[in-house]
Amino acid sequence: MIFRLLRLILVALVVVAAQPSFDAMAQAIGQGSAQLIADQTKAIKDLTAKTDGLEKKVGAPDQDDAGLVDIRLQLEDISRAALNSALMFRTRLNDINARIEVLGPPPAQGQPPEPAIVTNERAALTAEKAEINAVVASAQNLSIRISGLVDKIATMRSELFRSVLTKRYELTDALSPQAFSDAHDQFTGLYKAVTSWLTFALKFKFQAMLAATLMALALAAVLLIGGRRLFGRIFEADPSVEEPSYLSRLSVAFWSTLLPTVALGAFLASTVFFFNYYNVLRGDIGEFLNALLAVIAVVFCVNRLTNAALEPRLPNWRLIPVATGPARWLVRLATAMAVVLGFNYFLAVVNEKMGSPLSLTIARSFVATIVVGIILILMGVLRPFRAKDGSWRPWPAWLRFLALGLGLFTIAAALLGYIGLALFVSIQVVVTGTTLVTAYIGFLSARAIGEEGGFADTSIGRWLSANSSYEDTALDQLGLVVSIAINLMIVLVFLPLILLMWGFQPGDIEAWAYKLATGVTIGSVTISFLGILTGIVVFAIGYFLTRWFQGWLDGSVMARGKVDTGVRNSIRLAVGYAGVALAALVGISAAGIDLSNLALVAGALSLGIGFGLQNVVSNFVSGLILLAERPFKVGDWIVAGDISGTVRKISVRATEIETFQRQSVILPNSNLINNAVGNWTHRNKLGRVDIRVGVAYGSDVKRVHAILLDIARAHPMVLKNPEPFVLFANFGGAALEFEIRVFVADVMNGSIVQNDIRFAVLDLFDDEHIEIPSTPRAVVETKKHESWPIDDDKIEAEFAERERLEAEAEAERQRLAKTKRKGRKPDPG
């Protein structure tokens, strides 16, 4: 109670002291909040009005699948806008809640009243919070309403799709003579529309049409000529190669289908673009032209794929080992199927645009599905393989029955009146089949390139091997990267095509792509694939920039400055670690990962470091100390315990030492910091070499001293300053011992100097008849061990007998000892 009174008094004093400024600030904040509430309320009302209009469109009876997808996309945009409006109040609500918490709850009954200004402030904040909550609730209700409409649209689309496939038509009207009359009228109307457009275009748009045509042709020429120059070896089969590898056949089949199709598609798309840019096309003619160009592209793709896989002209490049005659027939049948379905699609666009009767549409689809079914049956009954005895063999059973089943099903569905189902199956067989086969060939090519030595066998791999310094290992790693890139490209290109063929609209793909880009929520975790990809790209860019900066700093700056090799290595390593760490942090931030969320992980990691990673941290810190203090550097000759060799690499965890036997020893850095390390080349390579020499007793020691000194001075690698010195070291057990001490400029050449001086000593001592004694070799007798016994009973018996004899001997010794003690006389002295 006392503390509450003190708090109220303190609040009252503060409020009274700062009342003018406080009131002004509250008024300004209140006005800003009121304006925000008014703006967002109006925005939500506008969004609600748009939602009402779209809901009426959803209930329209003539709404098609594409229209429903467009409405769904608009509704999703409205839902996001409503949620953004609600999020606009997040900061203000946090401020209101914080201020209400500071003011505290109103006093209970029976307690002293609080100042009026506090009561008014709490009431104003509560009222403002209620207004904001009302706006937020409106936004949330609108979002829930839109979610219901989206679910309703999904249900309507499913019903539309099922109705198209399961609807049954009467064939009597479609096959009546009236259908032929309607078809004649349809073609007459199409002819008049095209001729009237051509007359108008040639008369008023001739220059624009000519310019558009020339620009499209120029682009086609660039794609054709440039593509053949750049990629001709990739997608053109070489007739001179008698036995191409499987990878070569796969690559040629894949790229000879994909690249020309993409080039043709670019040409056709540019044609439509330039015609629209110059306003050459009118509405109906533009739709007719788009449909016709789409048909041309599909037929071309199917023809290229079948020719690439079957190669009627080059049997050794075929992916499928069929005979030449059946290969030609398969190409013709597949192309004919694509032409039939393409022509049917073009007529469907014409019928829809010109308002043709339903009977004509049914008749057109009926004829197309029957023809496709017959072609499938012909493909199934074809015998493409030639046996050794000359007989023809059919397709494998599963493939033959699949083709026959699809053909019979299509014909039966058409005859029963299910034209939509028959047409859907026919289109999927051609378009989806072509897409899947092309993608499958691409996957096989990527897998073959990713195998060991696969990329090196390609033309690009051979060119890189001949014109660069890439080794086989680097080419294999590059092949893995190329394989992953091809797989990713296939998924990104062919998956949307397959989805479009199976009835999905571009809006569906757009919505899924948006969800993948913005993030997929799983529980309380949101995963953004685009964010992750962005983080990986940013890290890769930072990594390569770090490596480039390392090379530039080492090769251009420090090399020109004649910086010591060890210093260069230390700086290069420090820059590399710092750059990679910075790139990792920037990449994590770009991926949308909040580094503050890693606090718990960091705490657990520090605990793990304290218990299980002590050695790792010790080595890491020791590596940093070595790089900073530089007690030795790369190229130094060091001795660490039993290890002696040249330092090859200093990293933050361990140091690589190469012994003089060419053995690489990885020594933890903590061993080099905590133990004594000898460095022969720490400040310079100057070093002393000692050679011990022994002469026989009786030799002229002064003459020996002079000879040894002359030998040392005569060697070219021995320094004159400090001058050589010969020490009469010791009177040995078998010789008079001398020691030659010489200094060399590079201690690494000490073994050479020792070797040369020893040879010179032998030669001069032989000339001077000075004897170098040798110690006689001691004869070591080898003790023969008893052979391992075999008979255990014999061993036990011998052991027992030996124990008995030892016991008797011990008893006899004790008896004799007692006898001697009794007969001994005292000493007289």
Side-chain angles (χ1 to χ4, degrees), residues 21 38 142 187 267 362-363 403 438 516 688 705 721 729 771 792 801:
S21 59
L142 181 60
F187 281 110
F267 164 67
I362 296 174
T438 306
L516 289 176
R688 195 184 80 181
H705 182 274
N721 186 21
E771 180 184 359
D792 294 339
E801 181 66 20

Side-chain angles (χ1 to χ4, degrees), residues 478-561:
L478 185 59
L480 289 176
V481 175
V482 173
S483 175
I484 295 173
I486 293 176
N487 287 324
L488 184 61
M489 182 197 69
I490 292 171
V491 172
L492 294 178
V493 171
F494 289 96
L495 182 59
L497 291 177
I498 295 175
L499 293 176
L500 291 175
M501 292 304 105
W502 280 85
F504 294 95
Q505 298 294 331
D508 296 323
I509 301 175
E510 179 183 349
W512 295 336
Y514 179 82
K515 289 181 180 179
L516 289 176
T518 55
V520 177
T521 302
I522 303 175
S524 60
V525 180
T526 300
I527 301 174
S528 175
F529 295 98
L530 182 61
I532 294 174
L533 182 61
T534 303
I536 294 173
V537 171
V538 169
F539 174 75
I541 293 174
Y543 178 81
F544 285 112
L545 284 177
T546 300
R547 290 291 177 259
W548 170 82
F549 183 74
Q550 275 184 296
W552 174 80
L553 184 65
D554 185 33
S556 299
V557 178
M558 292 189 291
R560 292 182 182 180

Side-chain angles (χ1 to χ4, degrees), residues 781-801:
E781 295 183 358
T782 305
K783 182 179 179 180
K784 294 183 179 180
H785 298 281
E786 297 181 358
S787 59
W788 190 265
I790 299 176
D791 191 350
D792 294 339
D793 296 335
K794 182 179 179 182
I795 296 170
E796 294 178 358
E798 291 177 353
F799 180 76
E801 181 66 20

Side-chain angles (χ1 to χ4, degrees), residues 18-29:
Q19 183 172 0
S21 59
F22 183 82
D23 291 342
M25 183 177 64
Q27 184 177 3
I29 294 175

Side-chain angles (χ1 to χ4, degrees), residues 582-603:
L582 181 62
L585 291 176
V586 175
I588 291 173
S589 300
I593 300 175
D594 189 2
L595 295 178
S596 62
N597 295 332
L598 301 178
L600 182 61
V601 178

Side-chain angles (χ1 to χ4, degrees), residues 766-777:
D766 185 59
D767 294 341
E768 297 289 336
H769 303 289
I770 298 174
E771 180 184 359
I772 300 177
S774 60
T775 303
R777 182 176 298 176

